[in-house]
């Protein structure tokens, strides 16, 4: 048994005797030892573990060689050699200690085990949580349980990004897919993280009992409704249908989030503030996602006639060529900024 | 000194002995240690590589690496359950594929004020950060695959999509129109399915059995985004 080199959340602060013991173990045994505690996230044959063990053995050999060399030096040079040898040994030990501390700190902070408990889910659980996110609860006198996991919300955000990208169907015209993709990713992650933080801050002000992780999970699962609505309405372009879904599906998921928050807040003013803000932001985001990427398309199709455009495909055109007044000076154009400019222009 | 221990199941010596009755006479002597250290054999092959490959000619090195990459390409094109990709992972193949894909996707933007630069960077960043995210996700779900092994597999499984990109470029040389689009759509969908099947064949074994779906879904999204980039590419 040896002290693991990568502490898995243990309170090892690198005390001196502990390191001494560690060294003795390696040098006394002369063989590589696997600490079974450390096996949970990488297999024994993984390259990094091999590399780490290899390096440890190499260090140990270098130490042994250096020690042998120093002994010879010491005998040869007598008293002066002894002092030199001592200082060299001290410097060497300090270097080894520093290196070990640095590698330990690195493996502690780069240890993704911190996030592991939040990904401990089964597919059945994810499915049931997805369905529950559309069902508003009635019992608000009693704090409702929120599952604190990050897998579902993260996957929903990525799915929303993919759906947004899918909404930009193509034809023969030029599409700035790079910028659109950056925008889509930025929008979705920005909404999830930003609005979660903002509502968490408001919850702190309103004395609501909710943690940041729970807020992230709640809002993440609330995006399931958005995914459904956008997926359907990007394929069937009917405004009336969109409004219906917006109210129905968007409303259901908002009601669910609102009910959970209400059950965890005390006082009518606080409840109103918190839930009103969340409901507004959530519904407006769905509206924004639909119109930022759809209205642009409609506006252009009305003014352009494109013989190359097949009837079933809609296209976000290259905006500056069409609306010169909306041309923004910077090269890094944001597609949504263009969309806003176009909407402002056309009204 | 060995002591004979009678097991409770011993039927006794009077009756005819059943097949493995003699095993009950085996006992553990006191001086054989039953605890110790688990050792793993060190792969000293690594050190041999360092010293012996330094002196060979550059052509040898390059040819050896290219052959390894080519072998892995074959494994991706005909996916069987094997761990060639996992055992000797390397990132040359993914780099070649990613750069090829990014270069081919780049030439689509002929806007005069954009020189197409950002598109190369976008594709590159999306491929590598997508692969890193999927790897982290599969590790967090409890998979026992190493970080670089997973990157290697995901990178190599972009090969069918690169082939789809080449085919799309060729098809785009023909007349534009709905048939053109349909052909490209069909090719991209087939290659997308191929990528997913190939990567699942390599990655599925490393996940706990009841969570395979959770690990495969992000891979699906990742290849979907790349397929979307390929499908919406139009040179002008």
């Amino acid at each position: 048994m040896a002290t693991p080199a990568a502490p898995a959340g243990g309170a090892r602060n690198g005390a001196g005797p502990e390191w001494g013991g560690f060294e003795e173990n390696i040098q006394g045994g002369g063989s590589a030892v696997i600490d079974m505690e450390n096996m949970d996230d990488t297999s024994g044959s993984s390259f990094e573990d091999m590399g780490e063990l290899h390096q440890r053995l190499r260090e140990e050999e270098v130490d042994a060689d250096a020690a042998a060399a120093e002994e010879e030096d010491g005998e040869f040079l007598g008293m002066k050699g002894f002092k030199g040898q001592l200082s060299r040994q001290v410097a060497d030990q300090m270097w080894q200690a520093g290196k070990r501390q640095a590698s330990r700190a690195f493996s502690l902070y780069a240890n993704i085990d911190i996030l592991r408990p939040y990904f401990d889910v089964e597919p059945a659980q994810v499915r049931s949580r997805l369905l529950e996110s559309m069902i508003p609860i009635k019992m608000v006198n009693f704090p409702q349980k929120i599952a604190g996991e990050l897998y579902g919300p993260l996957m929903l955000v990525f799915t929303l990004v993919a759906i947004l990208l899918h909404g930009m169907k193509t034809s023969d015209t030029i599409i700035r897919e790079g910028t659109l993709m950056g925008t889509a990713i930025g929008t979705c992650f920005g909404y999830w993280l930003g609005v979660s933080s903002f509502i968490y801050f408001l919850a702190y002000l309103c004395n609501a009992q909710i943690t940041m992780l729970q807020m992230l999970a709640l809002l993440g699962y609330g995006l399931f409704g958005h995914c459904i609505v956008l997926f359907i309405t990007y394929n069937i372009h009917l405004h009336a249908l969109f409004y219906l879904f917006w109210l129905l599906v968007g409303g259901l998921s908002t009601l669910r989030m609102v009910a959970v928050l209400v059950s965890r807040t005390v006082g009518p003013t606080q409840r109103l503030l918190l839930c009103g803000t969340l409901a507004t932001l959530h519904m407006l985001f769905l509206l924004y996602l639909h119109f930022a990427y759809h209205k642009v398309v409609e506006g252009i199709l009305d003014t352009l006639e494109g013989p190359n455009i097949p009837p079933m495909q809609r296209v976000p055109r290259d905006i500056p060529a069409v609306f010169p007044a909306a041309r923004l000076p910077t090269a890094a154009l944001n597609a949504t900024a263009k969309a806003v400019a176009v909407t402002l222009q056309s009204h | 000194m060995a002591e004979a221990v009678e097991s409770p199941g011993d039927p006794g010596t009077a009756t005819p002995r059943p097949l493995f009755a003699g095993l009950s006479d085996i006992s553990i002597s006191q001086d054989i240690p039953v605890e110790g250290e688990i050792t793993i054999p060190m792969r000293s092959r690594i050190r041999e590589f360092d010293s012996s490959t330094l002196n060979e000619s550059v052509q040898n090195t390059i040819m050896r690496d290219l052959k390894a990459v080519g072998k892995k390409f074959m494994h991706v094109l005909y996916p069987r359950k094997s761990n060639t990709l996992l055992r000797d992972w390397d990132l040359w193949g993914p780099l070649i594929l990613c750069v090829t894909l990014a270069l081919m996707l780049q030439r689509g933007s002929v806007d005069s004020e954009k020189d197409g630069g950002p598109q190369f960077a976008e594709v590159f960043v999306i491929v590598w950060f997508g692969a890193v995210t999927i790897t982290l996700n599969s590790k967090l779900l409890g998979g026992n695959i190493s970080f670089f092994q997973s990157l290697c597999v995901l990178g190599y499984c972009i090969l069918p999509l690169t082939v789809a990109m080449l085919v799309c470029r060729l098809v785009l040389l023909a007349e534009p129109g709905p048939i053109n689009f349909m052909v490209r759509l069909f090719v991209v969908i087939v290659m997308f399915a191929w990528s997913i099947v190939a990567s699942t064949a390599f990655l599925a074994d490393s996940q706990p059995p009841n969570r395979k779906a959770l690990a495969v879904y992000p891979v699906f999204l990742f290849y979907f985004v790349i397929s979307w980039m390929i499908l919406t590419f139009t040179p002008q």
Side-chain angles (χ1 to χ4, degrees):
Chain A
M1 275 185 316
T3 328
R12 296 180 199 280
N13 292 325
E18 200 176 9
W19 283 355
F22 178 63
E23 266 183 290
E24 271 167 48
N25 241 344
I26 286 291
Q27 287 183 352
S31 59
V33 174
I34 295 182
D35 186 6
M36 294 306 282
E37 248 179 75
N38 209 19
M39 290 282 287
D40 52 351
D41 62 341
T42 50
S43 67
S45 61
S46 79
F47 192 72
E48 296 95 337
D49 276 0
M50 302 299 280
E52 198 180 300
L53 282 162
H54 193 66
Q55 192 183 14
R56 233 191 281 157
L57 280 186
R58 223 188 253 170
E59 281 173 23
E60 160 211 347
E61 284 182 21
V62 165
D63 285 348
D65 288 342
E70 282 161 8
E71 273 179 33
E72 290 172 8
D73 275 343
E75 284 171 13
F76 185 64
L77 293 170
M79 196 61 176
K80 203 162 131 188
F82 180 68
K83 273 198 194 147
Q85 177 194 1
L86 188 65
S87 69
R88 239 181 300 151
Q89 260 186 350
V90 166
D92 209 17
Q93 257 196 342
M94 279 187 56
W95 165 249
Q96 295 292 336
K99 198 158 80 163
R100 282 211 179 89
Q101 190 173 25
S103 75
R104 248 184 221 205
F106 174 71
S107 61
L108 179 65
Y109 289 117
N111 200 354
I112 58 169
D113 278 341
I114 301 172
L115 289 177
R116 188 176 288 273
Y118 309 137
F119 281 76
D120 190 15
V121 288
E122 305 292 321
Q125 281 178 328
V126 175
R127 208 176 347 179
S128 67
R129 281 173 197 163
L130 282 176
L131 291 174
E132 276 169 10
S133 75
M134 303 298 294
I135 304 174
I137 43 173
K138 291 214 178 92
M139 216 176 3
V140 294
N141 299 325
F142 166 80
Q144 294 298 317
K145 198 163 94 71
I146 306 175
E149 55 134 326
L150 285 179
Y151 174 83
L154 204 63
M155 286 307 126
L156 279 170
V157 174
F158 280 127
T159 310
L160 191 63
V161 170
I163 291 177
L164 280 183
L165 293 174
H166 164 67
M168 316 300 156
K169 293 196 190 117
T170 184
S171 77
D172 297 330
T173 49
I174 300 169
I175 294 179
R176 297 192 186 185
E177 57 222 42
T179 317
L180 284 178
M181 194 141 13
T183 308
I185 294 180
T187 309
C188 296
F189 268 97
Y191 174 77
W192 182 47
L193 295 171
V195 171
S196 286
S197 316
F198 179 61
I199 300 290
Y200 176 66
F201 168 66
L202 279 186
Y204 171 75
L205 291 181
C206 299
N207 269 335
Q209 297 167 9
I210 194 165
T211 66
M212 183 67 190
L213 172 72
Q214 287 171 332
M215 192 59 227
L216 281 171
L218 191 66
L219 194 64
Y221 274 112
L223 287 175
F224 181 54
H226 285 21
C227 287
I228 296 178
V229 175
L230 289 174
F231 183 66
I232 296 178
T233 56
Y234 277 153
N235 292 317
I236 308 173
H237 298 273
L238 286 175
H239 269 320
L241 187 69
F242 169 70
Y243 282 120
L244 181 69
F245 271 110
W246 177 63
L247 280 177
L248 210 63
V249 179
L252 273 180
S253 77
T254 312
L255 271 180
R256 155 106 190 152
M257 289 199 301
V258 158
V260 170
L261 276 181
V262 160
S263 75
R264 287 172 168 252
T265 318
V266 177
T269 323
Q270 286 93 327
R271 282 178 171 181
L272 190 62
L273 176 66
L274 199 55
C275 302
T277 320
L278 180 61
T280 320
L281 286 173
H282 203 64
M283 300 294 273
L284 282 182
F285 183 59
L286 184 54
L287 220 56
Y288 164 74
L289 280 182
H290 180 84
F291 286 110
Y293 294 97
H294 183 75
K295 187 132 191 170
V296 173
V297 171
E298 288 224 332
I300 290 160
L301 281 180
D302 286 340
T303 53
L304 294 172
E305 41 210 340
N308 292 337
I309 302 177
M312 62 177 143
Q313 289 158 357
R314 309 278 179 108
V315 168
R317 286 283 303 225
D318 200 11
I319 307 276
V322 174
F323 294 99
R327 177 179 295 198
L328 299 178
T330 59
L333 280 177
N334 190 325
T336 51
K338 278 185 284 181
V340 168
V342 165
T343 8
L344 286 177
Q345 271 246 314
S346 54
H347 292 290
Chain B
M1 295 290 289
E3 301 170 354
V5 171
E6 278 200 7
S7 81
D10 194 13
T13 50
T15 58
R17 300 171 69 91
L19 196 55
F20 296 111
L23 287 180
S24 63
D25 295 332
I26 299 172
S27 68
I28 299 175
S29 84
Q30 296 300 331
D31 52 352
I32 299 177
V34 290
E35 57 187 355
E37 300 166 332
I38 301 176
T39 62
I40 50 170
M42 278 304 302
R43 292 182 49 187
S44 56
R45 195 165 66 92
I46 302 174
R47 216 185 252 169
E48 282 170 13
F49 262 134
D50 286 345
S51 52
S52 68
T53 63
L54 207 54
N55 298 326
E56 63 179 11
S57 70
V58 172
Q59 182 187 8
N60 275 355
T61 312
I62 291 181
M63 287 315 295
R64 192 182 58 235
D65 284 336
L66 279 180
K67 275 195 200 122
V69 167
K71 203 163 75 143
K72 293 194 186 94
F73 278 166
M74 283 300 124
H75 275 272
V76 169
L77 285 179
Y78 303 109
R80 299 180 292 272
K81 277 203 188 278
S82 81
N83 40 5
T84 314
L85 278 189
L86 293 179
R87 215 177 36 230
D88 310 313
W89 61 266
D90 73 90
L91 293 177
W92 283 114
L95 182 69
I96 294 173
L97 287 173
C98 184
V99 166
T100 314
L101 201 61
L103 281 176
M104 287 199 291
L105 282 175
Q106 175 192 17
R107 243 180 272 154
S109 159
V110 252
D111 217 14
S112 55
E113 44 183 23
K114 257 167 82 85
D115 57 352
Q119 277 195 317
F120 180 92
E122 297 263 4
V123 174
F124 214 80
V125 162
I126 282 168
V127 168
W128 288 102
F129 275 94
V132 165
T133 309
I134 295 174
T135 308
L136 285 179
N137 175 63
S138 78
K139 281 184 77 105
L140 285 171
L141 283 174
N144 62 349
I145 196 172
S146 140
F147 183 74
F148 287 109
Q149 282 170 341
S150 176
L151 277 188
C152 168
V153 168
L154 288 168
Y156 270 104
C157 291
I158 295 181
L159 177 66
L161 288 170
T162 313
V163 170
M165 179 79 230
L166 286 167
V167 171
C168 283
R169 286 303 293 264
L170 291 174
V171 169
L172 279 169
L173 293 174
E175 283 289 315
I179 299 183
N180 197 315
F181 179 74
M182 281 300 156
V183 168
R184 282 188 294 137
L185 181 69
F186 176 71
V187 167
V188 167
I189 287 181
V190 165
M191 291 301 174
F192 166 63
W194 198 332
S195 287
I196 293 191
V197 164
S199 63
T200 313
F202 291 114
L203 287 179
D205 289 334
S206 67
Q207 292 295 323
N210 50 342
R211 292 191 185 175
K212 285 203 187 14
L214 296 185
V216 166
Y217 180 68
V219 176
F220 168 83
L221 281 181
F222 174 62
Y223 287 129
F224 176 80
V225 168
I226 298 183
S227 312
W228 177 86
M229 280 198 284
I230 292 173
L231 190 60
T232 61
F233 166 77
T234 52
Q236 203 80 5

